[in-house]
Amino acid sequence: TMFWDAPTELMEGKQQDDNMAVETSSDERRHHHELPLRLLHNRELYVVNDVLGKTMGPPDIDHIREQSEPQMKKAESLLSAKENSSNSIGRRMDRGSRGSMTSDNKKHVGFAPTPPPFHPKGPMVNKQPVHLNSTDGLVVVSAFLPVVLTRSDDGQWSADWDYEMLLSMQTHLRVTRVGIVKWRGWHGNQGAGGSPEGGVPLEERDLVEACLVPFNCVPVWVEPKLFGEMYNGFCKGVLWPVLHNVTSVYADDEEVMESKGGTPNAMSDQQFSEYSMDDVEQGPIHGDGGKEAELWSSYTAVNRRFADTVVQCFNEGDLVWIHGFHLLILPSYLTRRIPMAKIGMFLHTPFPSSEIFRTIWCREDILRGMLNADQVGFHLYEYARHFLTCCRRLLGMNYGMIPDSAGGHTLAIDSNGRHVAVTSIHAGIEPPVLNQILMHTVTLEKANSIRHQFSGKVIFCAIDRLESLKGIPLKLLGLERFLRRCKEWVGKIVLVQVGISAYERGDDYVKTKKEVNELVTRVNEMWPGTVHFQECAESEMRLQQRMALLRAADVALVTPIRDGLNLVPLEFTIAHQDALTELGKKDGRKRGLCILSEFSSCTRVMRGALHVNPWKVSEIATAFHSALVISEDERMRRISTALEFVTRVTTQRWALAVMLDLKGVHKNLNPLQNAGAGLGLGYRRLGMDTDFIPLDTSTVIKGYKDARARLILVDYGGTIVVNDNLDSLMRFQMVQQTRTPSLPAPEMVETLTKLCEDKRNTVFVVSGKERHSITKTLGHIPNLGLAAEHGMFISWPTKKSLSKRRWETLVTEGDRSWRPLAISIMDVYQSRTHGSYIEETEMKVLWQYRDADPEFGYLQAKELEDHLANVLRNYAVDILHTGMEEGGYVEVRPKGVNKGVLAMHVIRNFTNLSTKARLDFALAIGDDHCDEPMLSVMRQIGRRVRAARLAKRGEDPLPDLPSTITMVDVSSVDDYVAQNLRCYTCTVGKKPSAAASYLHEVAEVQELLDSLVKMSTRDQKYYSSVDLFQAGQNQYPTSPTPISPTWQVNTSTSLTNMSGPMVKSRSLADMVDLDGPANKLTSRWLQISSMDETVDEEEDENFF
């Protein structure tokens, strides 16, 4: 178990707690609580251990789900299933909720009966319970090490744990802590007005490292000036205001003029207040130039230093846990060097809304840095929600409850095929340690001294840093208003306000301190002795001094206007937990209540506190009054409610829960499936399916060379021509026909022409464009098949170049009266959704919302989808809705049309296109989600043939296809493919896809097709063994230059007596007499040597 490494005098009470725990019966320790949940599907059960805190074992939550057999779908539904599952991931949760209802759609009130436990027979992927044991390693990375250094006069260094930090606790794990050592001058402010020292001296760093070895702490050595620029400059000056939802749009006039080299204009305080009253943090506007660029450079440099140290400390299998906003881009550096590590990040500050976060110039780099971790944690879901929204709005990523391999669901972001888990678990405190501190003689004496100093008064206490975000002036204004209206309490209450110096806040600290002193003076002038204000350094208000003040106080005030983790309310609750006892009730004090701002993170868990809006001064005044006149029963209930969370969710349980989630994250260690892409801070990890590798061009060429009947399917935009849809403006201009679309390069047109000249090739260009557009571009190429509008229109290959091609439809063209209905409905949504527009083609209608607000656009698209489904339910149409990452549109098209159906239709008609009966080579290339059905179908066809071939040989079956591929029934093409079919699927761009391989760009597609052309048009005077075998059957491959009759030499004729000049050297095939005995010998030898390459036609027919 996890324990706190407390001093000797603090461990005595903890030993008593451990002894009490040992007395717990073994039956209770083994007890499991079976909790049926109403929203689960049938045959689902959650088995939860230690959820009520009654057992000594580690928390264990197992989700058991019945495994259902995969069912084949029709190819016509492939695109619909693909796109519906790939738009907002959150829809999956909606479908799960709807699926749990009964068939009559009636709501039933009450609890569902407990489902019986289900243990399926046969192999099943079950969720293995995740536990942390002593063999697990953990690297904890934070800006500062949780230790306090001491240096004696003779130069000896010693260290002790800093119990102020959450990370100072000791565990049974193998923990290595990495961070900066806090020593005089660590902030770089050295010299006059600063520290007399400049951090740990270089010659004594070895001594410091030696004294930190027993603590398993490894320091990161950074020059104090560099670290000061990073910490005080960028972290506190740039990130801190933004993370707390503060932007400095209006700068102080003096700062602006000084930055321009001029003199400030005179401006009265009243006038300044009128112009900047909505600003909390005053300062220059941040940007990516000048001083801000230097601070960003320091931030990245320090993160690289941390990465170097972490890599040195990392052992394979260790978990890496990063803390704080100081190291947001550290995962980008770590995942590049140790991709096998499971990296978690936890932010102890709030996270701003997207409208605030987008004001920082390095927003994408920061978000990508965080997303390179495997888990991102926050104290509240509110902060996690803002982070998710930023990822969606700024990076176009989807998020939601994603099903895991065990049947459960995890809140995660889909980041380039990877799932980054997002957790929200609020931290706690350690009651045993605080109880020991409260029993110290020094703590009791200090608390009694404070009580004696303010004898006869109700003591309100507050401990805040002197900065604007803590809301100290608002607190004093609330007190002033309360005393003005409730004069009977004058002289009966006192506010003890402790202000901790915040020098790192710069001008904000100076202004806040000045304003607080003015308000304190004003209140004390009206009611002397009402406010006792004291400023002190952070080192003077440590845990022991803080607990003494909280113990002496009756009511605590925590009223920040924006705050992250604040443990003062939790510590105050522990300090007054005895108020619930009989002895505590007899002291006559109305103590134990906390007035808490609703903008603090702990307000969600401290439900017993009096919650206030600090911006509303009247609410603070009302809270003062409520705390004084509250009834005894309500006070007891509030204290009991607050104490329930504090004693249940401790620091140990918080850390254990986060670590269990991090260890349970699935991370693929296969470098082919967990690949990296990008340069610099744009580096990101890509999650690929099994066997997703770069296309092996040599393998494709070999399969192409050996084939007799080939099918090549290539997409248009993004595959043989640069994609026009990458830019939203270009897409809109093309829809409005104000921009000329990109055309294939002349080299690509020539390559396609030469491929079509080979009689063994059947080439199709499958495009989403209209048929008149694709005809104008590629219609002049003989023997080239064309498919327009994702396969709705087909133009079969013709030997002659026709000015007007013949087209036929993939499905029967029926009633088209649905088009005006769909357009009229879409027009309504277009008028009320800014940035949306309607795109019409010959056979489909689209409502594009890629330029609209992402959230509002998706909501409108979902409503439009439901509206269209209701109105067009009697028409033979498909309604498709894609997410923002796939273009963001709602499309209505004829039912059963997609590129996968087209591919199967072409194969079924292959005998009419090729001289051979069966297809033995197939190549499919695409680039976006519209091509996924084609790639999926072709990959499954090739897999089906290969699986049948292995089964016939008695070999082991193939591994399962990735779960991201929707299985469809492709058995209808069995009679049209050969046993030795070689099928290759490829996507353009390294990204998650149904294809088995990828090429990087259009230029590589050009190179691949050129290689195939060279194989088709090579000099036929040199023949392969396959060519010789075909020659033995009087089936010479087509040659661009016919073989001269003088080249056929009779073997009985002497070379010296040959008639005709010898112009070229002869190959073996040139000297073969097709009617002589030598031909029979050669053919027999070729049959033996090429046995694996040939397939008997009768054997082919009975193959499946």
Side-chain angles (χ1 to χ4, degrees):
T1 58
M2 308 175 74
F3 62 91
W4 192 289
D5 187 22
T8 305
E9 59 270 18
L10 298 183
M11 293 302 294
E12 298 177 357
K14 186 180 186 307
Q15 186 66 36
Q16 297 176 3
D17 297 337
D18 294 341
N19 294 336
M20 294 176 61
V22 172
E23 297 175 2
T24 306
S25 65
S26 59
D27 292 338
E28 185 177 359
R29 287 196 301 268
R30 291 193 298 267
H31 181 67
H32 280 67
H33 310 279
E34 298 185 358
L35 305 178
L37 304 180
R38 287 194 303 127
L39 295 182
L40 293 182
H41 296 287
N42 188 25
R43 290 180 177 263
E44 289 185 1
L45 179 69
Y46 272 101
V47 180
V48 185
N49 170 34
D50 198 24
V51 72
L52 301 181
K54 293 184 178 180
T55 63
M56 298 299 296
D60 177 22
I61 301 179
D62 296 333
H63 184 191
I64 304 174
R65 176 188 289 272
E66 177 183 0
Q67 185 182 29
S68 58
E69 294 294 332
Q71 296 181 353
M72 294 292 185
K73 297 184 178 181
K74 293 183 178 180
E76 288 78 0
S77 63
L78 181 61
L79 185 60
S80 178
K82 172 70 179 176
E83 296 194 358
N84 285 338
S85 64
S86 63
N87 58 28
S88 183
I89 302 176
R91 179 184 294 187
R92 300 176 183 176
M93 184 172 58
D94 299 337
R95 291 202 302 267
S97 300
R98 293 194 296 268
S100 63
M101 295 183 181
T102 57
S103 59
D104 56 359
N105 293 328
K106 293 182 179 179
K107 294 185 178 180
H108 298 276
V109 181
F111 290 95
T114 304
F118 176 76
H119 300 284
K121 298 179 181 181
M124 176 181 176
V125 180
N126 282 330
K127 181 179 180 181
Q128 299 296 328
V130 179
H131 299 290
L132 295 173
N133 49 57
S134 58
T135 61
D136 291 318
L138 176 63
V139 180
V140 180
V141 190
S142 58
F144 301 102
L145 289 173
V147 293
V148 178
L149 287 179
T150 305
R151 184 179 185 275
S152 62
D153 295 336
D154 57 353
Q156 297 297 321
W157 291 83
S158 60
D160 196 5
W161 289 113
D162 184 1
Y163 298 105
E164 295 287 320
M165 303 185 67
L166 285 173
L167 309 178
S168 60
M169 59 182 176
Q170 295 292 288
T171 76
H172 63 289
L173 306 177
R174 175 173 47 84
V175 180
T176 302
R177 294 173 172 83
V178 177
I180 296 292
V181 173
K182 264 193 176 183
W183 185 245
R184 303 185 189 102
W186 60 268
H187 42 67
N189 186 16
Q190 184 182 4
S195 174
E197 300 184 30
V200 178
L202 292 175
E203 62 274 8
E204 299 186 18
R205 288 183 176 180
D206 293 340
L207 300 177
V208 173
E209 292 177 355
C211 80
L212 292 177
V213 169
F215 297 85
N216 291 327
C217 292
V218 179
V220 179
W221 299 114
V222 180
E223 296 80 4
K225 183 178 179 181
L226 177 63
F227 187 78
E229 291 178 350
M230 172 264 195
Y231 184 81
N232 295 323
F234 188 81
C235 294
K236 291 296 185 178
V238 178
L239 280 183
W240 182 266
V242 171
L243 291 176
H244 289 78
N245 265 348
V246 175
T247 56
S248 303
V249 178
Y250 299 103
D252 190 342
D253 187 68
E254 181 178 352
E255 294 176 352
V256 173
M257 295 304 300
E258 288 179 355
S259 65
K260 294 182 179 180
T263 57
N265 297 325
M267 179 181 289
S268 64
D269 294 339
Q270 181 180 0
Q271 186 179 5
F272 178 80
S273 177
E274 291 177 355
Y275 281 105
S276 59
M277 58 185 304
D278 60 338
D279 275 37
V280 176
E281 180 69 17
Q282 300 298 327
I285 299 176
H286 300 301
D288 59 349
K291 182 63 177 176
E292 287 73 23
E294 297 177 3
L295 298 179
W296 172 247
S297 177
S298 301
Y299 185 80
T300 57
V302 172
N303 275 260
R304 283 196 296 268
R305 298 281 186 91
F306 270 81
D308 294 338
T309 305
V310 172
V311 171
Q312 295 174 9
C313 302
F314 177 79
N315 295 305
E316 188 170 357
D318 288 354
L319 306 176
V320 180
W321 196 15
I322 304 172
H323 289 262
F325 66 102
H326 318 87
L327 306 171
L328 293 179
I329 61 175
L330 179 58
S332 291
Y333 296 115
L334 292 179
T335 191
R336 187 194 301 265
R337 301 172 64 179
I338 46 176
M340 75 293 296
K342 291 185 178 181
I343 303 174
M345 167 168 283
F346 204 97
L347 259 68
H348 302 281
T349 58
F351 200 88
S353 66
S354 60
E355 296 304 313
I356 300 296
F357 188 78
R358 71 191 312 156
T359 61
I360 189 171
W361 76 92
C362 50
R363 58 193 186 184
E364 289 87 359
D365 293 334
I366 292 177
L367 287 179
R368 289 195 183 99
M370 299 175 67
L371 290 174
N372 276 326
D374 301 294
Q375 177 203 47
V376 181
F378 301 89
H379 288 293
L380 291 182
Y381 176 71
E382 175 186 348
Y383 307 153
R385 177 171 55 84
H386 287 164
F387 172 69
L388 295 172
T389 305
C390 287
C391 292
R392 177 164 185 169
R393 287 179 172 269
L394 302 181
L395 299 181
M397 296 181 176
N398 280 336
Y399 63 87
M401 303 301 294
I402 299 179
D404 56 27
S405 59
H409 291 79
T410 302
L411 178 61
I413 298 176
D414 188 357
S415 174
N416 300 302
R418 294 172 52 246
H419 290 163
V420 181
V422 179
T423 61
S424 53
I425 307 175
H426 199 283
I429 57 177
E430 283 299 315
V433 175
L434 298 184
N435 288 332
Q436 295 302 315
I437 293 178
L438 288 172
M439 290 187 294
H440 282 183
T441 304
V442 177
T443 305
L444 295 176
E445 291 178 352
K446 182 61 177 177
N448 292 332
S449 173
I450 297 174
R451 292 294 309 171
H452 179 73
Q453 180 180 356
F454 304 104
S455 178
K457 296 184 179 181
V458 178
I459 303 177
F460 291 80
C461 78
I463 305 173
D464 303 288
R465 300 184 68 84
L466 288 174
E467 57 178 311
S468 302
L469 291 171
K470 299 305 178 182
I472 302 177
L474 297 174
K475 185 187 314 176
L476 296 174
L477 292 174
L479 175 62
E480 181 183 14
R481 178 172 297 189
F482 166 70
L483 293 178
R484 286 182 184 275
R485 299 186 178 182
C486 302
K487 299 184 182 300
E488 66 274 14
W489 289 102
V490 174
K492 298 180 181 179
I493 65 172
V494 61
L495 172 61
V496 179
Q497 175 67 61
V498 176
I500 299 177
S501 303
Y503 299 107
E504 72 278 2
R505 298 301 305 133
D507 293 339
D508 179 48
Y509 160 68
V510 175
K511 294 177 182 178
T512 303
K513 178 180 177 180
K514 178 182 178 181
E515 187 176 0
V516 169
N517 283 324
E518 291 175 354
L519 287 174
V520 169
T521 302
R522 189 172 75 184
V523 173
N524 286 333
E525 286 178 352
M526 291 186 289
W527 307 287
T530 300
V531 180
H532 181 78
F533 173 69
Q534 178 183 355
E535 182 182 0
C536 63
E538 188 175 2
S539 58
E540 300 174 3
M541 187 53 63
R542 307 295 291 174
L543 185 59
Q544 189 168 359
Q545 294 85 0
R546 193 163 64 244
M547 292 304 298
L549 176 58
L550 296 177
R551 175 65 181 178
D554 298 300
V555 182
L557 279 87
V558 182
T559 59
I561 60 177
R562 188 70 175 174
D563 200 6
L565 179 63
N566 193 329
L567 299 179
V568 171
L570 284 70
E571 295 169 351
F572 177 79
T573 302
I574 289 295
H576 293 276
Q577 59 184 331
D578 62 329
L580 298 175
T581 64
E582 293 298 328
L583 182 61
K585 296 178 182 179
K586 295 179 181 179
D587 59 9
R589 297 168 54 191
K590 288 192 174 182
R591 60 189 177 96
L593 285 180
C594 180
I595 300 176
L596 185 58
S597 167
E598 64 183 41
F599 299 104
S600 178
S601 67
C602 58
T603 190
R604 301 292 187 273
V605 297
M606 297 291 292
R607 293 174 295 173
L610 296 174
H611 297 164
V612 297
N613 177 6
W615 292 104
K616 194 172 183 180
V617 177
S618 60
E619 282 194 14
I620 300 179
T622 303
F624 273 100
H625 183 265
S626 300
L628 294 170
V629 300
I630 191 172
S631 64
E632 190 69 13
D633 290 342
E634 184 179 356
R635 185 173 67 90
M636 291 295 121
R637 285 195 299 268
R638 286 183 175 273
I639 296 176
S640 177
T641 302
L643 192 62
E644 184 273 336
F645 172 82
V646 174
T647 55
R648 177 174 56 87
V649 182
T650 63
T651 307
Q652 296 179 14
R653 294 179 68 89
W654 164 75
L656 179 60
V658 177
M659 288 296 95
L660 287 175
D661 287 345
L662 178 58
K663 186 176 180 180
V665 169
H666 173 71
K667 185 156 190 175
N668 199 324
L669 301 181
N670 187 342
L672 298 179
Q673 298 173 246
N674 184 20
L679 300 174
L681 292 176
Y683 182 83
R684 57 199 179 277
R685 305 301 299 182
L686 306 179
M688 305 297 181
D689 290 334
T690 306
D691 299 331
F692 189 74
I693 58 176
L695 182 65
D696 188 352
T697 306
S698 60
T699 303
V700 176
I701 294 176
K702 183 180 184 302
Y704 179 87
K705 177 176 67 71
D706 298 339
R708 297 173 294 173
R710 313 173 184 131
L711 174 62
I712 302 176
L713 302 173
V714 294
D715 177 44
Y716 184 77
T719 303
I720 63 174
V721 66
V722 178
N723 200 339
D724 290 320
N725 296 334
L726 297 179
D727 184 79
S728 298
L729 178 60
M730 293 174 59
R731 174 70 180 184
F732 179 74
Q733 291 174 340
M734 290 180 58
V735 172
Q736 299 297 322
Q737 297 181 357
T738 59
R739 182 187 183 93
T740 303
S742 300
L743 300 177
E747 296 80 6
M748 179 63 73
V749 175
E750 181 181 0
T751 299
L752 293 175
T753 303
K754 292 182 178 180
L755 278 177
C756 295
E757 291 176 354
D758 193 330
K759 294 182 179 180
R760 291 173 292 182
N761 293 344
T762 301
V763 184
F764 264 87
V765 174
V766 186
S767 173
K769 292 182 175 295
E770 296 181 80
R771 50 181 174 176
H772 67 82
S773 176
I774 196 71
T775 301
K776 181 180 179 181
T777 306
L778 300 174
H780 63 281
I781 301 179
N783 296 321
L784 176 63
L786 299 178
E789 299 204 31
H790 306 295
M792 179 60 193
F793 296 104
I794 308 173
S795 177
W796 298 102
T798 57
K799 297 182 179 180
K800 298 182 180 180
S801 176
L802 301 178
S803 58
K804 185 176 182 181
R805 278 182 170 257
R806 295 179 180 178
W807 293 87
E808 64 181 54
T809 57
L810 179 62
V811 297
T812 303
E813 187 175 356
D815 183 12
R816 301 185 62 180
S817 60
W818 57 266
R819 287 179 62 88
L821 291 175
I823 294 174
S824 61
I825 295 174
M826 290 181 178
D827 187 64
V828 175
Y829 286 85
Q830 177 189 6
S831 63
R832 67 186 192 187
T833 308
H834 299 299
S836 66
Y837 55 92
I838 299 175
E839 179 181 351
E840 296 184 53
T841 66
E842 189 174 356
M843 291 301 296
K844 62 180 183 290
V845 182
L846 296 89
W847 183 74
Q848 295 275 1
Y849 67 95
R850 63 166 63 191
D851 297 330
D853 179 88
E855 298 291 337
F856 183 68
Y858 173 75
L859 293 176
Q860 291 293 89
K862 185 65 176 67
E863 184 179 347
L864 172 61
E865 181 185 10
D866 295 338
H867 195 169
L868 291 172
N870 183 48
V871 175
L872 305 180
R873 62 182 180 274
N874 294 325
Y875 293 90
V877 294
D878 285 330
I879 301 172
L880 311 176
H881 179 196
T882 65
M884 291 295 292
E885 78 283 358
E886 296 171 344
Y889 60 83
V890 176
E891 177 181 346
V892 183
R893 66 167 65 167
K895 193 174 187 62
V897 176
N898 62 64
K899 294 185 179 182
V901 178
L902 170 75
M904 296 178 64
H905 183 67
V906 171
I907 294 177
R908 285 193 294 265
N909 290 270
F910 193 73
T911 54
N912 301 326
L913 305 174
S914 175
T915 57
K916 296 300 176 182
R918 293 178 181 268
L919 175 69
D920 58 0
F921 174 87
L923 173 64
I925 309 177
D927 76 299
D928 60 12
H929 68 282
C930 296
D931 304 315
E932 292 299 302
M934 177 179 68
L935 299 174
S936 176
V937 164
M938 295 304 297
R939 185 173 181 181
Q940 292 180 56
I941 292 174
R943 172 187 169 83
R944 178 178 174 85
V945 174
R946 186 180 176 190
R949 186 163 60 241
L950 294 178
K952 186 175 181 180
R953 297 175 182 174
E955 301 180 11
D956 294 335
L958 295 172
D960 294 336
L961 285 174
S963 58
T964 55
I965 297 180
T966 303
M967 302 299 295
V968 297
D969 185 8
V970 295
S971 60
S972 61
V973 301
D974 290 349
D975 296 335
Y976 306 94
V977 296
Q979 176 184 354
N980 63 335
L981 171 67
R982 301 293 185 264
C983 188
Y984 306 93
T985 57
C986 175
T987 185
V988 180
K990 194 175 183 181
K991 56 182 179 292
S993 171
S997 53
Y998 65 90
L999 294 172
H1000 286 95
E1001 55 186 356
V1002 176
E1004 293 191 3
V1005 178
Q1006 174 79 57
E1007 294 177 3
L1008 172 64
L1009 298 182
D1010 284 341
S1011 300
L1012 301 183
V1013 169
K1014 292 179 181 178
M1015 184 56 59
S1016 294
T1017 60
R1018 70 188 188 282
D1019 189 353
Q1020 292 294 333
K1021 70 174 183 175
Y1022 299 106
Y1023 292 96
S1024 65
S1025 59
V1026 177
D1027 298 332
L1028 294 178
F1029 178 67
Q1030 294 173 349
Q1033 295 180 331
N1034 293 326
Q1035 295 174 349
Y1036 270 96
T1038 304
S1039 174
T1041 305
I1043 300 177
S1044 173
T1046 59
W1047 284 36
Q1048 298 182 3
V1049 184
N1050 193 316
T1051 54
S1052 61
T1053 305
S1054 173
L1055 290 177
T1056 58
N1057 298 327
M1058 287 173 49
S1059 61
M1062 182 70 74
V1063 183
K1064 295 183 179 180
S1065 60
R1066 298 184 175 92
S1067 64
L1068 177 62
D1070 298 336
M1071 297 186 293
V1072 172
D1073 184 1
L1074 299 181
D1075 298 325
N1079 177 45
K1080 297 180 181 180
L1081 178 62
T1082 304
S1083 300
R1084 178 59 182 166
W1085 175 79
L1086 290 173
Q1087 290 178 3
I1088 297 175
S1089 62
S1090 304
M1091 188 172 296
D1092 292 338
E1093 301 294 336
T1094 60
V1095 180
D1096 185 68
E1097 292 294 336
E1098 295 182 359
E1099 185 180 357
D1100 241 0
E1101 294 175 357
N1102 301 325
F1103 181 58
F1104 291 99

